Amino acid sequence: MKTLVVIPARLAATRLPNKPLAMIGDAPMIVQVWRRAIEAKVGDVIVACDSAAIAEAVRAAGGIAIITDPNHPSGSDRIWEACESFVSTRAHDIILNLQGDVPTLEPHLLRDVLAPLQNPAVDIATLAAPITRAEEHSNPSVVKVAIGGLGDGKIGRALYFSRAPIPANDGLRYHHIGVYAYRRAALEKFVALPPSPLELREKLEQLRALEAGMRIDVSVVDTVPIGVDTPEDLARARELLQ
């Protein structure tokens, strides 16, 4: 399988404007994320952005950036446009969607997310980690995934995603990590689908795939990368990468 890593990035973040260009250590955040993807050595890497400023930062670092429509409703739509524009993308079997706001991501996670796709029945692969902090169980900002068939504790099938504490009652729950690996045909099918009722209710795009009968499998890992959404997150990332 040949993999293309696509990192969607846009300037119009509401909680932290211009965050892709926020300096972390010696480089803008988007460049730090691009570096983590390069370090993973899973395939080609491109950035799908909505502005010349982001593209210039990536290209200055030696990366490939494609400017996409700023009005895309989701990151999935943005990465699909970039895939269609990238001249060699037809040679890629797998499209890996890595969010542009995880500068401290451990590169091995990009290898881990590809593991479920060894099973030809799987359309989409993603990541999750056990919830270890009590307050995360009821926090709607922490997306949970119910996983079935975790025979070896490493890979199972996503049964549902929710902002609510699922499954019910006492026991282990999993924190979903928003890194996705799509078979190319699965991504093409996904972006052509309209938003689904459960997707709109939970505000979780991945439910569109489940409602359409697509199979999502989950690699269970032991770490949740820090996503930068607030000034406090940015300060923490700067401490880690100074």
Side-chain angles (χ1 to χ4, degrees), residues 32-126:
Q32 292 286 8
V33 177
W34 172 80
R35 287 174 177 173
R36 304 295 88 76
I38 294 293
E39 290 164 9
K41 297 180 179 178
V42 296
D44 298 320
V45 182
I46 63 174
V47 173
C49 57
D50 68 347
S51 73
I54 297 175
E56 288 167 6
V58 172
R59 291 166 184 164
I64 298 171
I66 295 174
I67 299 176
T68 57
D69 185 344
N71 298 312
H72 280 307
S74 72
S76 299
D77 296 291
R78 190 173 308 285
I79 68 169
W80 181 247
E81 181 189 340
C83 289
E84 290 287 85
S85 300
F86 188 50
V87 292
S88 64
T89 194
R90 294 290 176 183
H92 297 95
D93 310 290
I94 305 300
I95 310 300
L96 199 160
N97 180 353
L98 172 63
Q99 296 303 311
D101 59 2
V102 284
T104 64
L105 177 108
E106 296 177 29
H108 74 84
L109 294 178
L110 300 190
R111 297 188 289 274
D112 293 336
V113 76
L114 294 172
L117 294 177
Q118 296 299 321
N119 180 348
V122 176
D123 299 300
I124 304 168
T126 190

Side-chain angles (χ1 to χ4, degrees), residues 166-228:
I166 58 168
N169 303 317
D170 294 336
L172 186 62
R173 293 193 180 97
Y174 292 93
H175 182 148
H176 178 234
I177 300 167
V179 178
Y180 298 93
Y182 298 84
R183 297 194 191 279
R184 181 183 172 84
L187 178 58
E188 184 173 13
K189 175 180 176 179
F190 178 80
V191 297
L193 293 169
S196 70
L198 289 174
E199 172 188 0
L200 295 172
R201 183 169 179 173
E202 293 262 19
K203 294 182 172 58
L204 295 174
E205 189 182 44
Q206 59 271 39
L207 291 173
R208 186 191 316 175
L210 290 185
E211 286 198 79
M214 301 174 76
R215 177 167 172 172
I216 304 176
D217 274 21
V218 184
S219 282
V220 175
V221 296
D222 59 6
T223 182
V224 177
I226 297 173
V228 176

Side-chain angles (χ1 to χ4, degrees), residues 131-175:
I131 291 177
T132 57
R133 298 169 59 191
E135 65 271 19
E136 290 192 351
H137 289 275
S138 58
N139 184 348
S141 295
V142 175
V143 177
K144 275 70 70 175
V145 55
I147 307 172
L150 271 174
D152 60 1
K154 297 296 183 182
I155 297 176
R157 186 167 182 171
L159 303 178
Y160 192 67
F161 298 85
S162 182
R163 299 183 182 279
I166 58 168
N169 303 317
D170 294 336
L172 186 62
R173 293 193 180 97
Y174 292 93
H175 182 148

